[in-house]
Amino acid sequence: MSRIGKLSIAVPAGVTVDFKDGVVTVKGAKGTLSQKITGAIDVKNENGHVQVVALDDAQQTNALHGLYRALIANMVKGVSEGYSKGLEVKGVGWRAAMQGNKLVLNVGFSHPVEFVQPEGIKIECPSQTEITVSGVDKVLVGQVAADLRAIRVPEPYHGYGIRYKGEHVEHKEGKTSGKGKK
C-alpha cells in the first residue's frame, strides 16, 4: 500500500468532490477540475475527507494509488486557493507587458515576442521585470511558466534571461586576456 495514498485529503468548506464513472470532479470557488481514474482505485468522500482506496495489492495499483491521491489533493487546493508562479526578467532594457490577452516580451531579440494567454491561466505583470502566472490547475500553471522561461533561458555569464523567482543561476568565469603567458 502506498504511504502517500493512505493519507486522507481534508476538503475545505465550499469545495465538493464527486466520483462517478471513473472520473473525479472537484468544484470550488475558483473553478472546476476533473481527473479520470484508471485501475483498481476507488475514491470515497466521507465527513469532509476524501480517501483514495486501492482495491488490490498489485505494484501498478500501489503506484497509481499515491499518484491519484496527490492529483486529487492538488485539485482540491487549486479550486480553493489556486496556484501561482513568479518569473523575473533580467537584462538591460528587457521588459514584459500585457496587451489585452497577450504578454509582450522585449528580451533582446530583434522583435518583441508575443505569448497568448492560454484558457484557464491568468498572466499579470506587476512591474516591467516581473511576471506572475496563476490558475487553478497546478500542471497547467507550471507548464505555462516553463514555456515562458524557455523563450529566453538564463545564460550563465551575465545571468540575462527569464528565470523563476528565487532561482539561482550559477555564473561562469568569462575569458581571460592571456596576458603574462609565455
Side-chain angles (χ1 to χ4, degrees):
M1 183 178 268
S2 169
R3 287 179 288 167
I4 300 294
K6 286 191 287 187
L7 302 173
S8 66
I9 304 163
V11 180
V15 176
T16 61
V17 179
D18 296 322
F19 180 63
K20 290 182 185 170
D21 301 326
V23 176
V24 172
T25 305
V26 181
K27 295 179 184 174
K30 294 198 177 262
T32 302
L33 295 171
S34 61
Q35 173 69 45
K36 186 174 185 317
I37 305 291
T38 60
I41 303 291
D42 189 24
V43 179
K44 297 180 180 177
N45 188 0
E46 299 168 346
N47 301 328
H49 289 279
V50 173
Q51 189 71 38
V52 180
V53 180
L55 300 177
D56 64 26
D57 217 14
Q59 184 177 3
Q60 181 69 21
T61 303
N62 284 340
L64 292 175
H65 187 206
L67 170 74
Y68 287 132
R69 188 263 173 211
L71 290 175
I72 294 169
N74 289 342
M75 291 165 50
V76 168
K77 182 179 177 188
V79 297
S80 60
E81 301 170 22
Y83 289 98
S84 70
K85 282 225 181 230
L87 298 162
E88 298 173 336
V89 178
K90 296 271 187 177
V92 178
W94 293 14
R95 60 186 180 274
M98 287 298 294
Q99 291 180 356
N101 70 337
K102 291 182 183 176
L103 175 67
V104 179
L105 298 166
N106 292 312
V107 287
F109 296 121
S110 62
H111 53 69
V113 178
E114 293 183 351
F115 186 86
V116 178
Q117 181 173 294
E119 188 70 30
I121 293 293
K122 184 176 182 184
I123 300 175
E124 297 174 321
C125 293
S127 72
Q128 289 186 344
T129 59
E130 294 179 24
I131 303 168
T132 304
V133 180
S134 57
V136 295
D137 189 353
K138 183 177 186 178
V139 174
L140 189 57
V141 168
Q143 185 61 52
V144 170
D147 292 344
L148 286 171
R149 184 181 181 273
I151 291 172
R152 195 70 166 196
V153 179
E155 55 94 18
Y157 294 101
H158 297 101
Y160 296 159
I162 301 172
R163 63 176 81 182
Y164 297 114
K165 276 201 174 154
E167 178 183 2
H168 175 72
V169 177
E170 240 358 271
H171 287 282
K172 292 183 178 179
E173 184 179 334
K175 291 182 180 179
T176 56
S177 67
K179 290 183 180 180
K181 288 191 176 182
K182 295 183 182 181

